[in-house]
Amino acid sequence: MDYADKEEFLKEFGEDYGYPNGPKSIDQIRATEFKRLENGTVYLDHAGATLYSELQMEAIFRDFTTNVYGNPPNCKSLIHILDSQSDISLATCDIVRAAREQVLDYFNASMKDYKCIFTSGATAALKLVGEAFPWSHQSSYMYTMENHNSVLGIRDHVYPLAISRYALSQGAAAFAIDVEEAVDNDGLSEGLVTSTKISLHPIQRRKGASFPERDPAGDAYNLFAFPSECNFSGSRFNLDLVNIMKKNPERILEISPFSKGRWMVLIDAAKGCVTQPPDLSKYPVDFVVMSFYKIFGYPTGLGALIMRNDAAKLLKNTYFSGGTVAASIADIDFVKRRQGVEELFEDGSASFLSIASIRHGFNLINSLTVPAICRHIASLGMYVRKVLLSLRHENGADVCTIYATYTSEVSYHDTGSMVSFNLKRPDGSWFGYREVEKLASLSGIQLRTGCFCNPGACAKYLGLSHSDLLSNIEAGHVCWDDNDIIHGKPTGAIRVSFGYMSTFEDAKKFIDFIRNSFVSFPNKSANGNLSRGGSSHFSPEGIRMVMQFVILLYLASDLFRISGMERWLSVSKYVIKFITVYPIKSCAGFSVERWPLCSTGLLHDREWLLKSQTGEILTQKKVPEMCLISTYIDLNQEILVVKSPRCRDELPINLKPDSYNGGIDEIDLYGQRYEVLGYADEVNLWFSKAIGRPCSLLQCFSPKFRVCLNKRGDTVMCRDLESRLNFTNEAQFLLVSEESVSDLNSKLSSKADTRKGIDGVTVKVNPMRFRPNLVVSGGEPYAEDRWRNLKIGGCNRCQMINFTHKDGQVQKSKEPLATLASYRRLKGKILFGILLRYDITELDTDSYLEVGQEVHVNPE
């Protein structure tokens, strides 16, 4: 850590950072309450879910192990409880009532004006309002572009023909708005908002729906929803909007017909209540929704709807359950509802244990105080924002684009706890946000990418038009996929967000990661270094994007041909050192001295795979225990033998065509369809025991049946039907060189922060960690990058190279991918080794590869 950087930071933010007047400093909090972060993890996704304190959890554990809590029936309101009820029910009811009071206190809400309804989360609270709101054909539902999907859901169910109680299906109009605020700069108003401008987006109405009688003009109820803090950009909305919409909606809606009727206001405070909960004594909001895990990490699955009493009288909950009725008769249509607000809307038993735990979270937050937390978090957000904006590539181009709308009058305390941004290369093209996320994970940094379930803000800040969005969907883009750049534009962003326990060291590690990984430096061509911003000799086809889970290992370049029809240059004497066959996808392979070739590559290579009961294709990154299954094929006896430390007996599998009895099926894998053979139950039971979950073994039956699929799943013709694959990702072979692996090991040993691996052993990578089919030796490191063709007297791998197994246990580290990413990355791909395919036109019935054969290369 550069202490000069921290000193500079403290000069600017020292009065606010670290709780200088609090009961504990930030360093004490981290040392005593978040010891689990001492392994170097940098958690920067507090907008998604903040972390619970270890002391908080200890207090909850003591509470639950020293007290008895039972189901508290009929005590949801504040009515007197009869003495005849059990002591346990009384105690639990007291806890629930006290929790309601604590929630209302957090929002400075009077118990005379507001009620607290516990829900399963903020989304459930929004759903409750949407379903129970008194919509009519005269109603309007207005919401800001910056709202979360859960708020957009109040608009209507996605299926027009379904029975729905939401806005559009009940005949209401729905429309999004943009809010622009002008700030008084005359020095007298101290930055108070003097004017608010609303821009309406197209009005939405449900066509063809049958509506009830129109309400008399002016008697309709309208709903305006906005977030107190945008979870995409961190921008905060001025709460004066509440008073304007409730008292004088014409002021901002002007002469619009939608200004008529009674306007009610809903605030989504799931993010904003962490540092600036709306003060309901100043702003008479009708509905506020929140989730507790956003504030203090635990419990999850519990939220609240804070509702004004007069608003509660308008909502109609049509469903009833045990806790919401005073009486019902089973065989006739008779129900008498309860009168209390909590009783009317809390269906079923309260989540009383979760409710009992929130007081320990509030105790922690109140000890630090919300204003101090706000100042602490804001200092970190402003620091990161300033440094990111200052970063420049070597050609002077900006590195970072930040998404936010702040006026010059906004202080850093009002800029929120998050920073959303995208990164650019020196030539102005974008780094994919998934590349940033995967590399951050390798560096021990947890952040969030995508649109964060906020499509309106995402489109607004990224400048995506309706045609852009529809084009992206047509191209196959959906939420949470890897399509981060389409038509040269990002489809989402990167977000880092801070919590009350975040430190300057967290922020500094993140900044250093961005500098080291994405800011360009002078182009290096020697010793395997690749330029991050320049052009490359690698073919776009050969390094096409195929991202999975963490960071995939992308292996250069074009799909090479083994052919005798070219003019060959023997620039060095390369020889085959190892040949490895992997019969079952993601399971261990076996080495051979000599092995036959066929139209799919090495005979029986990746010819089998394991499939879960749900149809998921299993791999090591999903089931690490698969690497413990060893395999061997005896060609003379025509059997595949598999072993596992979890199974007492080895399993022989007959390879003869007449031995299969499990039936024929079809599967889709990597955009291609295969016809496969199944096996008998005893085979599937053996593999289920070996990996610890139910599965079945499948064999590639007919490569001729292999067809390609487009992104919508439609069958189309492949461009190269002669290039046959079994269950490999991209190509028939992966080749690596011993010299390249040796150079990687030298870099691993020189990295001070990654020198020690699992159990304190120095990290050293064996070539077989990359699961290559061929290992060659005889040249310079990374010389294979420039090979165009090769003749041998004769793939793509993912995070499984970060797995090791020892004493029957599978362990995972960040290496060697983290080191490879530092010098072998090009446009989102980590390059190591080369992909090969067999030239089927040269196929001979007696073609073999042998250890010791010379490799003649045709360099670029």
Side-chain angles (χ1 to χ4, degrees), residues 387-403:
V387 175
L388 287 178
L389 288 174
S390 70
L391 294 178
R392 299 289 184 274
H393 289 295
E394 59 177 341
N395 65 356
D398 292 339
V399 174
C400 184
T401 295
I402 290 179
Y403 304 113

Side-chain angles (χ1 to χ4, degrees), residues 99 423 450 574 696 806:
L423 301 173
Y574 296 95
S696 57
K806 181 180 179 182

Side-chain angles (χ1 to χ4, degrees), residues 546-566:
V546 188
M547 282 193 169
Q548 299 175 5
F549 195 56
V550 181
I551 187 74
L552 288 188
L553 182 61
Y554 285 89
L555 306 154
S557 74
D558 221 338
L559 290 179
F560 296 74
R561 289 184 176 272
I562 301 173
S563 173
M565 305 301 292
E566 310 285 347

Side-chain angles (χ1 to χ4, degrees), residues 97 103 158 226 262 295 312 382 386 411 434 513 534 561 669 681 691 724 728 730 820:
R97 286 200 308 276
V103 173
V158 295
F226 69 96
R262 176 179 172 182
I295 305 175
M382 177 58 76
K386 290 175 64 175
S411 71
R434 290 289 281 161
F513 159 71
R561 289 184 176 272
L669 181 66
D681 290 343
I691 67 171
R724 297 177 179 176
T728 55
E730 282 189 279
L820 282 169

Side-chain angles (χ1 to χ4, degrees), residues 51 72 99 357 366 403 458 486 508 652 657 752 762 776 814 837 840 852:
L51 300 176
S357 70
N366 292 336
Y403 304 113
C458 188
I486 299 180
K508 184 63 167 57
T762 301
V776 300
K814 296 181 176 65
R837 71 174 178 181
I840 195 169

